[in-house]
Amino acid sequence: MDPNKFIKITNSNEFEIKVSYPADENKKKTQYNISIYMFLPESLGIDEQTYSKQAFYSHYLGYIRLITPEYNVQTLSKRLSNLIEFFKTGMNEEEKFEYINYEIKMIVCSYVNYLKDFTHNIEDNGVDAEKMRIFVEDIKKFDDLKIEIFTLSNASKQDNIKHLISFSAEYISLVTQNYLFLINLSLRKNESLHRDTIGKIITVINDEIAFEKENKMPYISTDERMNEKVIFRHGIFKKYFYSILFLKQDSQKDAVKIRQIYYALAAGIAMLFATSVVFYMQQKYGKFTAPFFAALVISYMFKDRIKDIFKNYFEQKLKIKAYDFRNKIYDMERQKLFGFIKERVQFIKKETISEDIKNTRLLNTDNRISTWFVNENILKYEKNITLINKNIKDAYGNSIKGITDIMRFDITRFTRKMDESKVPLYRVNQNNIYGTKVYHLNVVVDFSSEDHKNIHKIRLILTKKGIKRIEIPDGDIEIFPGNMKKRNKDWFPFKKDGSIKQVFDFKKEPQDG
């Protein structure tokens, strides 16, 4: 599990953790566990009394989807070619819409995943000139196929087919431009070595823009209103195509039957006490006497209290073993059961955490200037995941490797009692110097399966305004909102007509931190 890829900042008040759970075709079921420990400085005022389970879940959002199939662009081009042949044969499109819809959406999702992985690989490992040449040629071939199927679909009598292909062509065009632009940034670090490849990439980008213009699609330009449309449509398309991968969750409270049995047992114990008192007083003083009447009232009063005491006792026992929710995971289209996820959240004591978790929390904490040594409240969110491997394989064969769990945590409630972020500082003969008041929220992620275990530390640097950055100590990595460094306005790469500039003038500024 690469900590640089499994966490990101989605907005100033929210961060996302993404984890994959592979299915093992050699086993009937596969078990996974993930525990996320949030070490909250006591000054934030977040504890068991002020932050309930309901408050946590109202600030938490989770998605479950299939792991995006990994195909290279040559394989995706072959699948797109097969669809083109299908259109040329004139087969009944209405009857085959489910097949076309599945193929197109899977091709698009896999293509986006391929571009993303290729781009990250260049950013992390550098550029191989020959691989880049082949990559650009393959992208151009895929783009030509996209235009061909788009042209063929215009002759279709089915509106749903036309819309599906039109959306896919526009979305492919947008993501191609996006990732080619990022690749272009990496190549320009050694422009003299990659001049020919840079020229080819710019040609492909300009071809994409020309395609959008010709078909009256919004395209990236210096027109703010046009860019607004591009961003909006990109977001809609992403949800539309990735819907093929998302799974349905049927959620219900965990241990409902056991909880009801415990509640009945608590009521029975309370009733046993009340009945025993009444029988005893009746035998000693007889019916319809003052002592018997007093005992009846007192036993009734204590009965309710005893019931509540035992309910709380059993709830504490359930806390240790039971989860908050038990979710069934289904394929949205086939309604096939793929597995179960149980989840719970609770505050825990320092004494209960293992040495591994404690040592990871203290990673890169060299001195006692840390909230760990002052006081921290520990919020633990955990999940138990069970995959039914056979059902996943029966539904998708070897094309789907498992499921992806996307967890989004909103920290708005954590910032409520923070001091203002802007703090004046003073030096001799200098005015208007300010620093930033920050708080450290340390997070430890403990991921385990039947075969291996990973523990990572994440440090969120928070201000009153939200997340300033994320630090990953064991990778010496810093993540900023948007994953973008501040740049001079001259970085904007497009001309007024939407075509890309042949020459870039990047004036990099120091990263805000």
Side-chain angles (χ1 to χ4, degrees), residues 383-413:
K383 281 185 173 181
N384 175 273
I385 302 95
T386 303
L387 296 187
I388 304 174
N389 300 313
K390 183 178 182 302
N391 289 359
I392 297 174
K393 182 174 175 57
D394 288 348
Y396 295 101
N398 294 321
S399 63
I400 297 295
K401 303 301 183 184
I403 67 173
T404 295
D405 187 5
I406 302 169
M407 297 167 277
R408 290 191 170 186
F409 301 91
D410 189 321
I411 55 92
T412 306
R413 179 64 181 81

Side-chain angles (χ1 to χ4, degrees), residues 155-167:
S156 173
K157 296 178 182 179
Q158 302 295 325
D159 286 340
N160 54 0
I161 295 287
K162 287 183 180 180
H163 292 150
L164 174 64
I165 303 298
S166 175
F167 293 164

Side-chain angles (χ1 to χ4, degrees), residues 451-462:
D451 304 319
H452 65 276
K453 182 181 181 71
N454 285 318
I455 304 180
H456 290 290
K457 176 181 177 178
I458 306 154
R459 183 184 294 121
L460 277 72
I461 310 301
L462 307 180

Side-chain angles (χ1 to χ4, degrees), residues 255-266:
V256 174
K257 292 180 180 178
I258 296 175
R259 187 172 274 108
Q260 293 303 319
I261 291 171
Y262 278 164
Y263 289 170
L265 187 58

